[in-house]
Amino acid sequence: MESCYCIEPQFPADELLMNYQYISDFFIALAYFSIPLELIYFVKKSAVFPYRWVLVQFGAFIVLCGATHLINLWTFNAHTRTVAIVMTTAKALTALVSCVTALMLVHIIPDLLSVKTRELFLKNKAAELDREMGLIRTQEETGRHVRMLTHEIRSTLDRHTILRTTLVELGRTLALEECALWMPTRTGLELQLSYTLRHQSPVEFTVPTHLPVINKVFSTNHAVKISPNSPVARLRPLAGKYMPGEVVAVRVPLLHLSNFQINDWPELPSKCYALMVLMLPSNSARQWHAHELELVEVVADQVAVALSHAAILEESMKARDLLIVQNVDLDRARREAETAIRARNDFLAVMNHEMRTPMHAIIALSSLLQETILTPEQRLMVETILKSSNLLATLINDVLDLSRLEDGSFQLDRRTFKLHALFREVLNLIKPIVSVKKLSISLNLEPDLPEYAVGDDKRLMQIILNIVGNAVKFSKEGSISIMAFIAKLYSLQDPRAPDFFPVPSDGHFYLHVQVRDSGSGINPLDLPKLFTKFRNCQSPEARNSGGCGLGLAICKRFVNLMEGHIWIESEGLGKGCTANFIVKLGIPEQPNDSRLPLVPKVPANHGPSSFPGLKVLIVDDNGVSRMVTKGLLLHLRCNVTAVSTGDECLRAISNEHKVVFMDVPLPGLDGYEVALRIRERFTKRHERPLVVALTGNTDRVTKENCMRVGMDGVVLKPVSVDKMRVVLSELLEHGVLFEYQ
């Protein structure tokens, strides 16, 4: 059932007002409908808006309000009940939505207020970040200035330039009116104005270091603001009315002051500081900022480091100059020493040759005279001459050995040799003297001692002969025993030889030789002096036996070269001695008897006593030596031809000559050239005579040169009848004989 309700206006209104309301409702409705469209556009474009559902409610409220005003357009005229129902529904919904929206706003407003609070907090944070960025930029600027100043300061290592550059760069960077550096005086009790920015040569006035302002600055490593009226800040006289600028002072550590002395500063053991004073321009409102103070502190530290580097460099330069001077002196001393050594060696070589020539004459003629018929008194005199001559020849050999050992030119001649045969040879050599003194001598070689060894057999034999000879010389009665064995590893360490470090290996062994005698003995207090050259520690009666104190000194040096150790034991005078030495020898891989060198021999009773008809050629430019050698050979019934030059030798030699004795230094062609021409002339070995160098030169070069040119032997002057007999026997039997000094 439909019914029509007519709403009568409560108050009559004229038509004009109704038209205005009608138009207003229309535009209000239009405006309400446009607002949701704008809200929809806003929500769509704003992806992070947190309250979209509130906007939806608000949009619904606006739409309903607009719909209410739009429906109200039909109420100005007569309308149906449907319009009234629609109008009522719209208003009811509008009221509901408005209430819900109002309630929701009660919860939204605190959130909106908190958002506002966050916004304010973010603004504060942004402002704080801006300040920090400003500080960072300031620090970067400060760092840039520090790097620039550091580069300028360290561009030189001259301390005066460092200090001057520091003041100039600080004044330019900080726009200072004045900058000064106060340095400690000689006593360290005052500070002296040494450098200023505006004056190249500042007035040198001083202030005491005990002032409170100075103590305040020196007590901290930070820059300190000081009064412009303090003594260290009055850098120029007051003139006119002006306000002085702010002044700061900072200490500058003087590192390594002992090496950093200016104007003869003393060495101060305690820490010492210089004072740097910086003044801002006068009549300005400028003040010191934190970053500027930090810059000043950093620069002060950099100056300290640069000064320390400069001091170290200065000390290094002084040390270098001193080292250069010392090196020059050492080089000059080395050259002088080398010149002296060469002169000494040349002198010894000449003296050796010149002394051996007359010694050759004395020993040769004495040995010839000894084989003639003599009265007992004459024979005693001849034997004394021979004994003294042999002692003098031994002294010459010892001096030459010692000279080469001390200047380092001596080298061992290592080769494979028969070790057992060497000891038997020593025994054969010493037996005649032992039998004369009616002593007994024994040789004991342990079964494990190798038959062959590698080393310098000549020097080893010289050591053994010297020690055994001393035992025989200083023993009037009793016995002498020689023992040789391989030293065990546990027995090698000796507290008396801290520098002896034996190193066992498969290819080497240590030979221990012990010589025990029952002779005169030695005072235990004199044992350390035995190996000192020219010292004789035997008893007074034993000193009559001769000797100059070189034998043991030379033996010790030979043993050291063989990586060994030598010592002597004695319980006292009259109780005999025991001499021990250890040397390092090699073990040969495959010894070959035919290739082993011959041990040089001395007079023996075996072999022919004469050589009748043996043609021998003598080449010697010294008339006395030539005559003496010829006499020796004639005594041995040789057919002798003697010449004085190499050319005469080449003219006189023939294939009938069996032996040629030739001195090395000759006028014209020397002995080496003559030997080469003889080998060229006689190409067949059986037709060529044996060429032997009979010389007084004992150096290794002479021996090597003789072997190089193909000589068959080297015999050293002086030569006695017995020695010449043995030399000829060895040459004719083996075809070669090289005698070593």
Side-chain angles (χ1 to χ4, degrees):
M1 175 176 174
E2 295 183 2
S3 62
C4 182
Y5 295 93
C6 293
I7 301 174
E8 296 294 338
Q10 186 177 0
F11 301 100
D14 55 20
E15 187 176 353
L16 180 60
L17 292 176
M18 294 297 292
N19 291 331
Y20 283 148
Q21 292 181 13
Y22 184 85
I23 294 173
S24 298
D25 284 336
F26 175 76
F27 282 105
I28 289 173
L30 184 62
Y32 274 131
F33 284 124
S34 64
I35 290 174
L37 297 176
E38 295 174 358
L39 290 176
I40 292 173
Y41 177 78
F42 174 75
V43 171
K44 183 178 180 181
K45 293 297 183 181
S46 178
V48 295
F49 193 76
Y51 302 111
R52 295 187 180 184
W53 56 274
V54 177
L55 290 180
V56 172
Q57 290 182 0
F58 190 64
F61 168 71
I62 293 174
V63 169
L64 291 174
C65 289
T68 302
H69 283 278
L70 183 61
I71 296 171
N72 194 47
L73 294 177
W74 279 274
T75 63
F76 288 97
N77 296 317
H79 54 277
T80 63
R81 189 172 183 277
T82 302
V83 174
I85 293 173
V86 171
M87 182 65 179
T88 301
T89 303
K91 288 184 177 183
L93 292 175
T94 300
L96 178 62
V97 172
S98 61
C99 290
V100 173
T101 302
L103 292 175
M104 294 305 300
L105 289 176
V106 174
H107 299 283
I108 293 175
I109 288 174
D111 292 340
L112 294 177
L113 291 177
S114 64
V115 170
K116 191 66 177 178
T117 303
R118 291 195 196 96
E119 180 182 357
L120 182 60
F121 174 76
L122 291 176
K123 286 182 179 179
N124 294 335
K125 281 293 184 181
E128 185 177 348
L129 288 175
D130 289 339
R131 288 193 299 271
E132 291 180 355
M133 288 299 297
L135 180 61
I136 291 174
R137 285 193 293 270
T138 302
Q139 291 176 347
E140 289 179 352
E141 185 71 14
T142 302
R144 186 178 64 84
H145 287 298
V146 168
R147 288 191 297 273
M148 178 184 66
L149 289 172
T150 302
H151 178 268
E152 293 295 333
I153 292 171
R154 295 192 179 183
S155 61
T156 179
L157 286 177
D158 178 71
R159 56 177 180 265
H160 302 288
T161 305
I162 290 172
L163 298 176
R164 175 66 58 186
T165 302
T166 300
L167 300 185
V168 171
E169 293 299 326
L170 278 176
R172 182 177 60 83
T173 303
L174 300 177
L176 302 176
E177 180 177 323
E178 187 57 278
C179 185
L181 194 65
W182 297 78
M183 305 296 291
T185 58
R186 180 181 180 84
T187 61
L189 301 177
E190 293 179 323
L191 293 179
Q192 177 180 326
L193 182 60
S194 303
Y195 301 91
T196 60
L197 178 61
R198 305 303 177 188
H199 302 85
Q200 295 296 328
S201 299
V203 179
E204 295 184 356
F205 54 87
T206 60
V207 295
T209 56
H210 60 76
L211 292 178
V213 63
I214 296 178
N215 291 332
K216 180 181 178 182
V217 176
F218 283 176
S219 63
T220 178
N221 57 355
H222 298 292
V224 178
K225 292 183 180 181
I226 63 175
S227 172
N229 297 321
S230 62
V232 293
R234 291 198 295 266
L235 302 178
R236 58 192 179 93
L238 299 176
K241 295 181 179 180
Y242 66 94
M243 291 295 294
E246 286 190 350
V247 181
V248 297
V250 66
R251 71 183 188 185
V252 179
L254 295 181
L255 307 179
H256 301 284
L257 186 61
S258 60
N259 297 328
F260 178 56
Q261 298 185 5
I262 300 178
N263 300 326
D264 297 328
W265 290 352
E267 296 186 6
L268 301 180
S270 60
K271 290 185 178 180
C272 189
Y273 302 99
L275 185 68
M276 186 186 298
V277 180
L278 304 94
M279 180 183 295
L280 292 179
S282 304
N283 289 330
S284 67
R286 180 180 166 191
Q287 296 181 344
W288 286 98
H289 297 288
H291 69 277
E292 293 176 333
L293 296 178
E294 182 180 356
L295 173 63
V296 171
E297 295 166 1
V298 173
V299 170
D301 292 338
Q302 293 297 321
V303 170
V305 173
L307 289 180
S308 68
H309 290 175
I312 294 173
L313 177 66
E314 183 176 349
E315 184 69 17
S316 301
M317 297 293 288
K318 291 180 181 178
R320 186 199 64 178
D321 295 339
L322 179 61
L323 185 61
I324 290 175
V325 173
Q326 292 176 346
N327 286 339
V328 171
D329 294 340
L330 288 174
D331 186 65
R332 181 170 60 252
R334 179 185 58 80
R335 292 196 301 269
E336 292 175 355
E338 291 176 350
T339 302
I341 290 174
R342 286 195 297 270
R344 183 189 67 177
N345 291 342
D346 294 341
F347 172 77
L348 289 176
V350 173
M351 291 302 297
N352 173 51
H353 183 269
E354 297 302 324
M355 291 178 67
R356 284 179 180 274
T357 299
M359 287 299 303
H360 175 56
I362 294 172
I363 292 178
L365 294 178
S366 298
S367 63
L368 287 174
L369 186 60
Q370 192 179 30
E371 297 195 359
T372 62
I373 300 175
L374 300 172
T375 65
E377 292 80 4
Q378 292 173 336
R379 185 167 298 280
L380 178 61
M381 287 186 289
V382 171
E383 290 176 352
T384 303
I385 293 173
L386 277 174
K387 181 178 180 181
S388 300
S389 300
N390 288 326
L391 287 175
L392 182 57
T394 303
L395 176 61
I396 294 172
N397 296 337
D398 290 346
V399 170
L400 291 174
D401 286 340
L402 186 63
S403 173
R404 290 197 295 266
L405 286 168
E406 288 185 343
D407 64 26
S409 62
F410 185 87
Q411 294 181 353
L412 295 176
D413 186 12
R414 301 182 186 276
R415 54 184 179 174
T416 302
F417 65 95
K418 298 179 180 179
L419 184 57
H420 288 211
L422 184 143
F423 281 98
R424 287 192 292 269
E425 184 68 23
V426 170
L427 191 62
N428 293 333
L429 292 173
I430 211 71
K431 271 184 177 180
I433 305 175
V434 170
S435 62
V436 170
K437 298 189 72 172
K438 298 181 180 180
L439 302 172
S440 63
I441 187 170
S442 62
L443 174 65
N444 182 15
L445 303 180
E446 291 294 329
D448 61 344
L449 190 68
E451 180 72 23
Y452 302 94
V454 177
D456 192 330
D457 57 323
K458 307 304 176 184
R459 300 308 171 186
L460 178 60
M461 187 174 185
Q462 183 176 346
I463 296 171
I464 301 173
L465 276 175
N466 192 292
I467 294 177
V468 176
N470 285 339
V472 173
K473 181 166 59 175
F474 298 117
S475 297
K476 294 183 178 180
E477 58 183 9
S479 62
I480 298 170
S481 65
I482 305 172
M483 180 180 296
F485 54 91
I486 296 178
K488 305 303 180 183
L489 182 61
Y490 63 85
S491 65
L492 290 177
Q493 293 295 342
D494 191 342
R496 291 166 296 193
D499 297 332
F500 177 51
F501 300 102
V503 181
S505 62
D506 295 337
H508 298 84
F509 70 95
Y510 284 89
L511 172 67
H512 188 162
V513 178
Q514 185 179 85
V515 179
R516 190 185 303 272
D517 66 70
S518 57
S520 59
I522 303 174
N523 188 335
L525 297 178
D526 293 332
L527 290 177
K529 307 174 185 176
L530 287 177
F531 300 100
T532 304
K533 56 186 179 182
F534 306 116
R535 294 293 298 270
N536 196 326
C537 301
Q538 298 289 337
S539 60
E541 61 272 12
R543 290 184 184 130
N544 297 328
S545 300
C548 61
L550 281 178
L552 289 178
I554 294 174
C555 287
K556 182 175 179 60
R557 286 166 171 79
F558 283 152
V559 169
N560 291 338
L561 285 177
M562 297 179 185
E563 303 179 40
H565 169 45
I566 183 171
W567 72 97
I568 294 179
E569 300 171 343
S570 177
E571 296 181 358
L573 296 176
K575 297 182 178 180
C577 295
T578 301
N580 296 268
F581 72 88
I582 299 174
V583 293
K584 185 178 181 180
L585 299 177
I587 301 176
E589 296 180 357
Q590 292 181 351
N592 187 350
D593 290 352
S594 62
R595 299 179 58 186
L596 295 181
L598 297 174
V599 177
K601 304 203 179 214
V602 293
N605 294 326
H606 62 276
S609 59
S610 63
F611 305 88
L614 180 66
K615 296 200 67 174
V616 180
L617 177 62
I618 301 174
V619 188
D620 198 327
D621 63 328
N622 186 285
V624 175
S625 178
R626 186 171 62 250
M627 180 268 296
V628 169
T629 306
K630 182 177 180 179
L632 291 174
L633 294 171
L634 290 175
H635 180 76
L636 298 176
R637 302 176 63 186
C638 295
N639 187 357
V640 184
T641 304
V643 296
S644 59
T645 65
D647 294 328
E648 293 178 357
C649 172
L650 294 176
R651 288 194 295 268
I653 195 170
S654 66
N655 54 7
E656 297 180 355
H657 290 95
K658 300 302 180 181
V659 181
V660 177
F661 287 110
M662 179 170 51
D663 200 358
V664 173
L666 294 172
L669 296 177
D670 60 12
Y672 306 129
E673 183 65 25
V674 173
L676 288 174
R677 296 195 180 186
I678 291 176
R679 289 179 63 88
E680 292 175 357
R681 178 181 299 183
F682 300 96
T683 57
K684 296 181 179 180
R685 180 66 182 88
H686 65 279
E687 296 179 355
R688 185 172 68 247
L690 298 173
V691 181
V692 179
L694 180 60
T695 179
N697 294 334
T698 60
D699 56 279
R700 181 185 297 271
V701 176
T702 300
K703 172 239 177 183
E704 292 176 349
N705 289 335
C706 291
M707 296 180 66
R708 177 178 54 82
V709 299
M711 289 188 181
D712 301 295
V714 176
V715 177
L716 301 180
K717 297 177 182 178
V719 179
S720 64
V721 172
D722 290 333
K723 182 176 179 180
M724 181 61 76
R725 186 180 290 115
V726 172
V727 166
L728 290 176
S729 299
E730 293 293 336
L731 284 173
L732 296 177
E733 180 180 355
H734 301 288
V736 61
L737 174 64
F738 283 92
E739 185 180 3
Y740 293 84
Q741 171 56 33

